[in-house]
Amino acid sequence: MNYTEAVDYIESTPKFTKKNGPENTRELLERIGHPEREMKVIHVAGTNGKGSVCAFLASMLKTAGKHVGLFTSPHLVEITERFEIDGEQVSHETFACALTRVLEVTKEMIADGFAHPAYFELLFAAGLLIFREAGVEYLVLETGLGGRLDATNLVEHPIACVITSISLDHMEYLGDTVTKIAGEKAGIIKEGVPVIYDGRNPEAAAVIAHTAAAMHAKAYRYDESMSQILGKTDKSIDFLLNCGYDEKIKVTVPYLAPYQVVNSSLALMALRVIDPEHSISTEQAVEGIAKTRWPGRMETVLPGVVLDGAHNADGISEFIRTVQSVQGKPQRSDAGLPVQAQQMTEAASDQAKPRRVTLLFSAVSDKEYGKMIREICEGMQLSAVVVTQVGGLRVVPADRLADAFRSCLDCASPVFVETDVREAFETALRLKEDGMLFCVGSLYLVGELKAILQTDRQDSAAE
């Protein structure tokens, strides 16, 4: 099976299977020899930020000379983005070979009366084979959806669990309150395994602390008093972290979003929990944070052009705070971080002339895009809005998104409609002028834009 055949097969999987119970995944892991038992696994769950925390952890471990695997989801352009070894995406051939071996086991399972593994189960099993073959020492493992019933939760003995911010998302699967969703996320906590968690939401923090106590797991809570922002630019934030392990570590996080201060802090805390002897130095950890690259999450892809995969209520709120800081507006008091006037860049602090901000937006039908649009209009001053459409079967027509922007009383900006993503991007770039362009609302949008930029770079190199 070559790479194209492997991708075609796995993309067709939802057509003839559904999500299975944990016993099916357990059988699959048993038949491939439980590769996860040969690695030091750090298991990460949460509503927002879990991918970023994973990226920070993997980068710090790599910087310290550790042999590390990284399993994340979803991918933006290529399915192999989900599997990294020492910071490098695995090859097409490596993925195709691993999936071929998983499918051989799958045939045996079906013959013995088990269900065909679901899409994510196949990817998880292929990833474990890839990482075992590479001989990784550490595996940084992101959950797919939820935690308690996620395929990744079949890992029996992680060395640490991390739970990032929790808010309302995927409510049809995880529950309609923060407390219920927190219960699903806290389901990754194992007996006696330390858990590091974002404690800024009292409801979520109470559930996690209770679960940790019941599992005799030592809990390490991050709260807003631990971080103090020193300064920021369009590309990074400098802050001090005082989490009790080191005396106020000075950190540079290579993103302009304040929420990445929280995510990098959680990763640093987790590193100290798994490395109490400080075999990984503070200097190595800080260097690893500064070198982290995580595509599509407040990612600057061109001068003044930022892609952000925010696609739920909490993600949009954090996106708004970031744009407010760029424009020099006071941030909401619930941002979870101390914000002072001297932290703003010189350009952003000119209250009389807010920085020009253009928005490229799209969303899919199972997200509360009307609410997202209202919050954006209420929370920031936009010079122009361009809407487009993405998502295949979940598409929301661009005209409908445009109507939602125009109906907002707080939206006085001109709204442009381009159904083609490339044309929408080109229009938004023209409207950007000397300001900033933010592309937000859906990971589908981010993925398509990443693919466009990649094609343009390849065409330019070929000329």
Side-chain angles (χ1 to χ4, degrees), residues 119-139:
Y119 178 90
F120 189 75
E121 291 174 272
L122 291 175
L123 289 172
F124 179 43
L128 291 179
L129 289 177
I130 289 169
F131 298 130
R132 180 172 64 185
E133 184 69 23
V136 303
E137 178 184 6
Y138 289 90
L139 172 57

Side-chain angles (χ1 to χ4, degrees), residues 275-346:
D275 181 36
E277 303 300 322
H278 280 50
S279 65
I280 298 173
S281 69
T282 298
E283 292 74 20
Q284 289 171 321
V286 170
E287 181 185 351
I289 292 292
K291 290 161 60 176
T292 302
R293 297 295 178 266
W294 187 228
R297 282 72 171 182
M298 277 296 164
E299 179 189 11
T300 300
V301 292
L302 294 170
V305 179
V306 178
L307 307 186
D308 187 37
H311 57 279
N312 56 35
D314 190 55
I316 289 295
S317 294
E318 294 290 358
F319 164 71
I320 291 169
R321 291 173 191 138
T322 301
V323 177
Q324 286 175 341
S325 72
V326 168
Q327 291 190 309
K329 290 185 178 183
Q331 297 183 39
R332 299 177 184 176
S333 60
D334 62 346
L337 296 168
V339 179
Q340 301 172 357
Q342 64 264 32
Q343 296 166 355
M344 304 301 178
T345 61
E346 184 176 339

Side-chain angles (χ1 to χ4, degrees), residues 356 358-361 383-388 398-399 401-402 405-406 413-419 424 427-428 430-431:
R356 181 178 179 87
T358 300
L359 182 72
L360 173 55
F361 183 89
S383 299
V385 176
V386 181
V387 295
T388 190
D399 286 333
L401 296 173
F405 272 103
R406 291 170 180 146
S413 313
V415 180
F416 300 83
V417 179
E418 295 285 358
T419 57
T427 298
R430 289 194 298 270
L431 293 168

Side-chain angles (χ1 to χ4, degrees), residues 8-305:
D8 288 345
Y9 184 92
I10 203 162
E11 293 294 347
S12 69
T13 301
K15 298 176 182 177
F16 55 82
T17 189
K18 56 184 177 58
K19 184 174 177 60
N20 302 307
E23 66 283 350
N24 214 74
T25 310
R26 188 176 291 109
E27 181 68 22
L28 178 59
L29 297 186
E30 178 71 29
R31 293 189 182 221
I32 63 172
H34 283 289
E36 75 283 0
R37 293 177 180 173
E38 302 174 28
M39 312 166 202
K40 299 173 183 175
V41 178
I42 306 169
H43 199 190
V44 183
T47 303
N48 290 308
K50 57 184 183 294
S52 296
V53 169
C54 287
F56 286 128
L57 277 165
S59 182
M60 288 189 290
L61 290 166
K62 175 181 178 291
T63 301
K66 307 299 182 182
H67 193 21
V68 56
L70 174 63
F71 178 80
T72 58
S73 62
H75 60 276
L76 298 177
V77 181
E78 289 192 304
I79 206 164
T80 47
E81 294 170 23
R82 296 168 179 256
F83 319 98
E84 287 189 8
I85 298 173
D86 296 335
E88 297 294 329
Q89 185 175 318
V90 303
S91 69
H92 290 179
E93 294 74 18
T94 297
F95 170 70
C97 180
L99 185 64
T100 298
R101 290 162 63 190
V102 172
L103 293 180
E104 290 170 356
V105 171
T106 294
K107 291 179 182 177
E108 297 171 2
M109 288 179 60
I110 294 172
D112 291 339
F114 289 91
H116 188 291
Y119 178 90
F120 189 75
E121 291 174 272
L122 291 175
L123 289 172
F124 179 43
L128 291 179
L129 289 177
I130 289 169
F131 298 130
R132 180 172 64 185
E133 184 69 23
V136 303
E137 178 184 6
Y138 289 90
L139 172 57
V140 183
L141 181 63
E142 180 187 1
T143 57
L145 176 65
R148 182 176 63 90
L149 297 177
D150 192 72
T152 61
N153 206 30
L154 270 294
V155 173
E156 300 156 324
H157 302 292
I159 59 172
C161 298
V162 184
I163 302 177
T164 66
S165 69
I166 294 175
S167 59
L168 298 176
D169 196 19
H170 298 297
M171 291 178 285
E172 66 273 33
Y173 304 111
L174 305 179
D176 56 1
T177 67
V178 167
T179 298
K180 290 178 182 178
I181 293 173
E184 293 298 314
K185 307 293 186 182
I188 72 167
I189 299 174
K190 303 295 190 299
E191 180 72 27
V193 175
V195 56
I196 302 91
Y197 67 101
D198 183 346
R200 293 175 302 154
N201 184 303
E203 295 175 80
V207 173
I208 296 167
H210 176 77
T211 304
M215 299 298 289
H216 308 100
K218 191 167 183 179
Y220 301 83
R221 175 176 178 167
Y222 170 86
D223 67 65
E224 61 192 25
S225 67
M226 293 179 177
S227 299
Q228 178 186 354
I229 293 180
L230 302 175
K232 59 170 61 177
T233 71
D234 285 349
K235 295 183 178 179
S236 64
I237 300 175
D238 295 330
F239 71 98
L240 288 178
L241 174 65
N242 184 8
C243 61
Y245 299 104
D246 298 270
E247 189 63 29
K248 290 189 176 179
I249 312 171
K250 184 177 179 181
V251 183
T252 297
V253 61
Y255 298 95
L256 56 79
Y259 63 76
Q260 293 293 23
V261 172
V262 177
N263 293 330
S264 58
S265 296
L266 286 169
L268 279 161
M269 291 171 66
L271 185 71
R272 284 295 166 245
V273 168
I274 66 172
D275 181 36
E277 303 300 322
H278 280 50
S279 65
I280 298 173
S281 69
T282 298
E283 292 74 20
Q284 289 171 321
V286 170
E287 181 185 351
I289 292 292
K291 290 161 60 176
T292 302
R293 297 295 178 266
W294 187 228
R297 282 72 171 182
M298 277 296 164
E299 179 189 11
T300 300
V301 292
L302 294 170
V305 179

